[in-house]
Amino acid sequence: MAGGKKLVIVESPTKMKSIQGYLGDEYEVLSSVGHIRDLAKKEDIPADKKQAYGKYSIDVENGFDAYYVVSDRKTKTVAELKRALKGADEVLLATDEDREGEAIAWHLLEVLKPKVPVRRMVFHEITKDAIRAAADNTRELDIALVNAQETRRVLDRLYGWDVSPVLWRKVGSGRDGQALSAGRVQSAATRMVVERERERMAFVSASYWDIEAHAAKEGSSFSTRLARLDGAPLARGTDFDDTGSLKKAVVVLTETEARELAAGIEKAAHAAVTAVEAKPGTRSPKPPFTTSTMQQEAGRKLSMSAKHAMSVAQRLYEKGYITYMRTDSTALSAQAVSAARTQAVALYGDRAVPASPRSYRNNAKNAQEAHEAIRPSGEEFRTPASVASGLDRDEQRLYDLIWKRTVASQMSDAKYETTTVTLEVDADGKRAAFTASGTVYTFKGFLEAYEEGNDEKRGDSDRSADQSLPPVAVGDTLTLSDVEPKGHATSPKPRYTEASLVKALEERGIGRPSTFASIIDVILERGYVTKRGQALVPSWLSFSVVRLLEQHFADLVDYDFTAALEDDLDAIARGEQEREAWLKEFYFGSDNHVGLRNIVENLGDIDARELNATPIGDVATLRFGKYGPYLDVPVGDGETRIVNVPDDLAPDELTPEKARELIEAPVAGDRVLGENPENGKLIAVKDGRFGPYVQELEPEPEETVDDATGEVAPAKKKTTKKKEAAPKPRTASLFKSMSVETVDLDQALKLLSLPRVVGVDPETGAEITAQNGRYGPYLKKGTDSRTLASEQQLFDITLEEALAVYAQPKYGARAASSALKEFEADPTSGKPIKLKDGRFGPYVTDGETNATIPRGENAEEVTFERAVQLLADKRAKGPAPKRTRKTTTTRKPAAKKK
């Protein structure tokens, strides 16, 4: 690189292309493609370092020094960076301006070991002006930020590697046999979801009745609801606690009372207006987006997962459309405020903005990491319509959301007037008071641009729908009609959604904005939580995990303690706390903290069976076993019976009544269908772990009579040689169209006849068979197999038809016909998306990228939008890393120069 160019290193290839165009030929911009190294695996640690680093890849006895390795897939990247470094006269480390970005820059410095000046180049938006300004205003590497990120990495390794093995031994394995893990923050998040489900399980519903009616004046009608009876307030859902008891004195109508009262009101037919109250009000806009509020709104309004929202925001940032998407700050720069106000006036008129610009308090705890809020980039905001051609569908939707929120944040307050009307009617001697409310906006203000979504809350059903009220005055008489008594039942707290869980984590101070998406992704991936629509439902596995953590690692899963760790990491990032001393206290303990090592070394006896038990009333005990949840039902004399629990049954739905229903249900399977006429063996249908099947039963050994004593004894089983396996009974899985209850002998015999020889290929002489496998019906010729379109073809397909199937390209035209669903073209690849059923379950593909349908989602309900989201998430995740690694030496961050 003759001429002494400046080498600029960024994380992302997308960012690299944009920045190169802004900086010009005097710079060479390359990408590290994220982190280039991480803590070593045990097998990658040299023999001479095993004693010090062998357990965690961290020397806990010597300053918590970490042993890092460069991954094998990054060796080419490192080689390219070293090549470019040879001709550079300066290095600009242009990774993101946060802890992780600072740590990536430090790792680059450690691996590349440049002999030329190194500076830190930081920016929060990728526009020409911002990039040029960043190149001209560099700074030193901030070692305090590096220390904070490295402390987090070491802390999480120590926590996970000490606690997770306890889960493996005492709880078992997760879904699909994968090992369980106990992450520091994911454990707290899982506990929150489980605690909400416990509240739902303990909840006692209460019923109450009210009355609704239509009131009319001169042809204008509106809905009203009974509010008071003889001066006493009528019960609402919020008046009951979680045990179904009243929290205050109110009138609770029974169904009979409500119907009798409704009849009296309908008989009266008229009501007098006794009060009309009008109250003015104002609503102010919400601040522009932080990372967490963006994730919440993307979930509420766009049905995006937190992970997907961050993936889309990352693309928008790297393409130069928005500012940096990982931020706690709600502040806007002067140029952003000006751009938002200018656009609001242009679109909605001069009254759309207040006389003075709005300012929002910066909530960031770390001034060193403080960015602006998430907003459209540049000095002038581009409207969603003007950028649509350069964005895919999800990028357009999220940019539109960010643009609206930013513009609205600088707009005027909305002004409204709420009118409440009270009507009274005499119903057979009882004074019934009805109320109705209506809100009219006299000035919409920021609502012209944007209104924030809301999470589901208890009591929503008691709220009256907003409506317009006709002009009425005290003393007016109105006609009542459509008087209808309505019954209600109180409901438990709603389950967390991704949006509400992100909000709850932030309110408790658990995790940081950049970690929320990965926290939720991990608890879903581990099978601790599944999704039912937007709701997060904990699995029974998570109950066992949380119970173990609460009983034996109480300090580590305490919410306040977890939040305090985040505050301590912030203090390290600000240079107010020393990394090594803090880690020493966390791991070895102090007067204030027992220490992770002391907790793990003094666990005592853990009763795994008791840990894995949840009583379901006095009916049974729910346990989580190797093959999923089941009921352990006592049957007397210390004996128990096992009853499987359906996978799709949520914990709060397993009531004692439901448990009895499962226990008393007739046992499916083990039904004898008849005798095989060919060999006289009985054939039975059974319901096994992998689904229903038919089996040809081997005859029981015949009893023998001792001639001398007359005793009847079972015949001895034939013994086989040690190396000879005993013959297995013939079995065959039921087709998807069959059921245990309806399958008959003829169908069973046909199933047991498989595999069926279709014929012989005249060209090769190879036998072609039709077989039913784990992934459906198929043809087999030697090692070449082809999927069949239906199970019936196993019995019907002819040799001629089979040869025609083999004549087609294996992954050509037939691949398309095997799709369960076909969608429009993917906005990124431009290729049609297909939903298929593969070896490891259903997945979506555009021919380039495959994305598995997550556990708990119904493949038949996957929409085009969800398919696009899954493919985008998979692309963002990138290829799976190879297991081999190249080792490098490392040193601890040096103290920051003053």
Side-chain angles (χ1 to χ4, degrees):
M1 190 165 55
K5 290 186 178 182
K6 295 181 179 180
L7 175 61
V8 179
I9 305 177
V10 298
E11 305 107 308
S12 162
T14 304
K15 211 187 287 187
M16 176 182 75
K17 296 173 184 177
S18 302
I19 294 174
Q20 181 69 72
Y22 295 142
L23 290 178
D25 294 339
E26 65 269 30
Y27 294 84
E28 181 175 6
V29 184
L30 295 177
S31 169
S32 69
V33 196
H35 283 277
I36 60 170
R37 66 178 189 171
D38 195 7
L39 291 170
K41 292 183 178 179
K42 292 181 180 180
E43 60 267 25
D44 295 328
I45 299 174
D48 61 337
K49 296 184 180 293
K50 287 280 187 185
Q51 185 172 356
Y53 296 94
K55 184 175 181 180
Y56 309 103
S57 302
I58 298 163
D59 188 350
V60 296
E61 303 293 343
N62 292 287
F64 295 87
D65 187 47
Y67 194 87
Y68 292 99
V69 295
V70 175
S71 64
D72 184 61
R73 63 191 178 95
K74 288 298 180 74
T75 54
K76 185 177 179 181
T77 300
V78 171
E80 177 65 14
L81 292 173
K82 287 184 175 179
R83 177 206 61 77
L85 181 60
K86 290 179 181 178
D89 59 12
E90 187 177 3
V91 176
L92 299 180
L93 300 174
T95 50
D96 290 337
E97 191 185 9
D98 57 14
R99 296 177 196 174
E100 188 168 9
E102 209 76 15
I104 292 174
W106 175 73
H107 283 292
L108 286 166
L109 197 60
E110 291 289 297
V111 173
L112 299 178
K113 296 181 171 58
K115 294 181 172 58
V116 294
V118 178
R119 302 287 294 170
R120 188 78 168 87
M121 173 180 165
V122 293
F123 45 86
H124 69 276
E125 62 180 348
I126 303 176
T127 59
K128 185 174 182 179
D129 290 344
I131 296 302
R132 296 295 305 185
D136 295 336
N137 297 278
T138 56
R139 63 167 172 80
E140 295 290 333
L141 188 72
D142 191 330
I143 294 301
L145 287 184
V146 176
N147 279 333
Q149 181 63 24
E150 294 307 286
T151 302
R152 179 187 293 278
R153 185 70 186 92
V154 170
L155 165 65
D156 289 343
R157 171 61 66 93
L158 295 174
Y159 184 108
W161 284 33
D162 268 353
V163 180
S164 295
V166 183
L167 296 182
W168 305 339
R169 295 193 301 269
K170 298 301 180 181
V171 177
S173 59
R175 79 173 191 215
D176 301 326
Q178 68 176 328
L180 303 181
S181 66
R184 176 179 56 89
V185 185
Q186 79 190 44
S187 295
T190 303
R191 182 186 177 196
M192 290 172 67
V193 178
V194 167
E195 285 186 339
R196 176 60 55 87
E197 195 73 7
R198 287 171 177 167
E199 291 176 328
R200 292 174 63 87
M201 293 168 72
F203 179 78
V204 178
S205 182
S207 62
Y208 60 99
W209 284 73
D210 62 12
I211 298 172
E212 293 183 5
H214 279 87
K217 177 188 177 184
E218 298 176 357
S220 297
S221 66
F222 55 94
S223 61
T224 66
R225 178 182 285 186
L226 182 65
R228 304 179 75 85
L229 189 62
D230 289 334
L234 205 67
R236 294 282 179 258
T238 53
D239 295 326
F240 296 88
D241 62 21
D242 286 355
T243 67
S245 302
L246 285 169
K247 295 186 287 187
K248 61 181 181 181
V250 291
V251 175
V252 181
L253 291 178
T254 64
E255 180 179 359
T256 301
E257 291 170 337
R259 294 192 182 282
E260 290 176 353
L261 183 60
I265 294 169
E266 196 158 28
K267 181 180 177 182
H270 294 85
V273 177
T274 58
V276 178
E277 184 180 15
K279 288 184 177 180
T282 60
R283 286 180 59 188
S284 298
K286 295 292 184 180
F289 281 138
T290 62
T291 301
S292 66
T293 55
M294 182 196 72
Q295 290 174 3
Q296 292 170 47
E297 279 292 84
R300 298 183 191 116
K301 291 183 176 290
L302 307 180
S303 297
M304 287 186 181
S305 67
K307 179 181 178 181
H308 183 51
M310 290 303 291
S311 172
V312 176
Q314 178 86 35
R315 298 201 301 271
L316 288 171
Y317 167 64
E318 292 179 352
K319 291 179 178 180
Y321 289 100
I322 64 171
T323 54
Y324 193 54
M325 67 290 158
R326 291 187 178 92
T327 176
D328 285 310
S329 176
T330 54
L332 291 176
S333 65
Q335 72 172 24
V337 170
S338 175
R341 287 171 62 86
T342 299
Q343 205 148 65
V345 169
L347 292 171
Y348 309 112
D350 292 339
R351 293 184 63 202
V353 297
S356 300
R358 291 185 183 275
S359 61
Y360 296 94
R361 184 170 61 88
N362 192 334
N363 295 320
K365 295 185 178 182
N366 265 314
Q368 294 169 316
E369 294 182 84
H371 301 282
E372 283 189 76
I374 303 170
R375 64 167 177 85
S377 60
E379 295 183 2
E380 295 181 2
F381 294 167
R382 290 166 283 184
T383 63
S386 69
V387 301
S389 61
L391 304 176
D392 66 32
R393 183 174 181 275
D394 280 348
E395 290 168 353
Q396 290 176 39
R397 295 164 71 212
L398 188 59
Y399 181 83
D400 180 72
L401 198 67
I402 293 168
W403 177 85
K404 286 178 177 176
R405 177 83 166 217
T406 308
V407 172
S409 73
Q410 287 301 313
M411 292 177 66
S412 301
D413 289 344
K415 297 180 180 179
Y416 62 89
E417 185 174 82
T418 298
T419 301
T420 302
V421 176
T422 302
L423 314 171
E424 290 192 2
V425 58
D426 191 319
D428 295 333
K430 293 183 178 180
R431 199 67 179 166
F434 286 79
T435 60
S437 294
T439 298
V440 176
Y441 278 90
T442 56
F443 177 65
K444 295 203 71 174
F446 75 92
L447 293 176
E448 294 278 8
Y450 181 83
E451 182 170 9
E452 186 177 53
N454 294 303
D455 295 315
E456 179 190 357
K457 294 181 180 178
R458 280 199 295 188
D460 284 351
S461 61
D462 288 331
R463 296 178 183 175
S464 300
D466 202 17
Q467 59 184 325
S468 296
L469 300 180
V472 294
V474 174
D476 287 353
T477 299
L478 293 104
T479 302
L480 292 180
S481 61
D482 299 327
V483 182
E484 183 182 0
K486 287 196 171 183
H488 306 273
T490 56
S491 58
K493 291 181 181 178
R495 291 190 178 96
Y496 285 111
T497 62
E498 289 200 28
S500 61
L501 183 57
V502 165
K503 184 178 181 180
L505 288 168
E506 184 178 41
E507 289 173 347
R508 289 184 179 272
I510 296 172
R512 286 293 178 258
S514 60
T515 65
F516 292 147
S518 62
I519 291 169
I520 294 173
D521 186 50
V522 167
I523 64 176
L524 285 167
E525 182 64 27
R526 291 284 184 266
Y528 296 155
V529 171
T530 57
K531 294 187 76 170
R532 179 182 289 188
Q534 294 295 312
L536 298 176
V537 183
S539 65
W540 287 109
L541 168 66
S542 66
F543 275 69
S544 297
V545 169
V546 169
R547 191 177 293 118
L548 182 145
L549 294 174
E550 288 175 334
Q551 292 178 4
H552 301 280
F553 299 93
D555 288 345
L556 298 182
V557 292
D558 178 78
Y559 296 133
D560 292 337
F561 175 74
T562 305
L565 293 184
E566 297 293 347
D567 291 337
D568 289 342
L569 292 171
D570 289 342
I572 294 172
R574 294 190 298 269
E576 299 169 1
Q577 198 152 340
E578 202 275 319
R579 165 187 179 275
E580 184 179 336
W582 187 88
L583 282 170
K584 185 176 181 180
E585 179 178 354
F586 171 80
Y587 187 70
F588 292 107
S590 67
D591 293 338
N592 300 319
H593 175 55
V594 66
L596 177 63
R597 172 182 276 187
N598 293 327
I599 292 174
V600 173
E601 290 180 349
N602 294 280
L603 284 175
D605 293 332
I606 299 177
D607 187 338
R609 184 170 175 80
E610 185 64 27
L611 185 73
N612 204 16
T614 303
I616 307 299
D618 58 357
V619 179
T621 300
L622 186 289
R623 300 187 188 279
F624 190 89
K626 184 177 181 181
Y627 305 118
Y630 65 92
L631 291 174
D632 198 4
V633 186
V635 294
D637 296 328
E639 297 295 320
T640 60
R641 171 188 161 207
I642 291 177
V643 176
N644 289 330
V645 174
D647 286 337
D648 59 353
L649 191 69
D652 74 329
E653 295 169 353
L654 186 58
T655 60
E657 293 73 26
K658 182 63 179 179
R660 288 191 187 94
E661 180 184 323
L662 294 173
I663 294 167
E664 294 169 3
V667 179
D670 293 327
R671 180 167 63 91
V672 176
L673 302 176
E675 187 178 283
N676 187 339
E678 293 183 0
N679 56 26
K681 294 181 180 179
L682 294 179
I683 296 175
V685 60
K686 301 186 176 187
D687 198 357
R689 182 159 63 93
F690 299 111
Y693 65 99
V694 291
Q695 184 178 69
E696 191 175 67
L697 304 177
E698 293 297 324
E700 291 292 330
E702 295 182 2
E703 296 176 334
T704 60
V705 179
D706 189 309
D707 292 334
T709 64
E711 289 182 314
V712 178
K716 293 182 179 180
K717 293 182 179 180
K718 294 181 179 179
T719 58
T720 58
K721 294 181 180 179
K722 188 176 182 180
K723 292 185 179 181
E724 291 181 6
K728 292 184 178 180
R730 286 198 301 163
T731 62
S733 297
L734 265 61
F735 288 172
K736 293 178 181 178
S737 58
M738 300 175 178
S739 70
V740 172
E741 292 78 15
T742 61
V743 68
D744 58 29
L745 179 61
D746 289 340
Q747 291 173 320
L749 291 172
K750 291 180 72 175
L751 291 173
L752 290 170
S753 71
L754 297 173
R756 177 175 74 91
V757 177
V758 178
V760 176
D761 186 337
E763 291 186 6
T764 64
E767 190 176 72
I768 300 175
T769 58
Q771 305 189 29
N772 191 28
R774 182 178 178 186
Y775 308 109
Y778 66 100
L779 293 173
K780 186 174 183 182
K781 181 176 69 172
T783 58
D784 190 1
S785 61
R786 300 297 175 91
T787 302
L788 290 174
S790 70
E791 293 168 326
Q792 188 58 38
Q793 282 187 292
L794 289 168
F795 306 115
D796 298 345
I797 193 166
T798 64
L799 176 60
E800 183 180 358
E801 291 169 337
L803 292 174
V805 170
Y806 274 102
Q808 297 180 23
K810 186 167 186 177
Y811 300 107
R814 284 191 55 76
S817 66
S818 66
L820 304 177
K821 273 187 186 180
E822 296 192 16
F823 300 104
E824 302 170 29
D826 181 81
T828 299
S829 67
K831 297 182 178 181
I833 300 175
K834 297 173 184 177
L835 172 66
K836 295 189 174 185
D837 193 5
R839 181 180 178 188
F840 301 107
Y843 68 99
V844 289
T845 179
D846 62 353
E848 295 179 355
T849 305
N850 298 338
T852 302
I853 306 300
R855 181 183 175 92
E857 289 192 27
N858 187 342
E860 296 178 0
E861 297 176 358
V862 171
T863 61
F864 170 71
E865 291 76 13
R866 179 57 176 153
V868 171
Q869 175 182 328
L870 290 169
L871 290 172
D873 287 348
K874 184 62 181 291
R875 291 189 197 100
K877 190 174 183 180
K882 296 180 180 178
R883 297 190 64 182
T884 55
R885 292 178 177 268
K886 178 181 177 181
T887 60
T888 63
T889 57
T890 187
R891 63 177 185 273
K892 291 181 293 183
K896 185 177 178 181
K897 294 180 181 179
K898 296 184 179 180

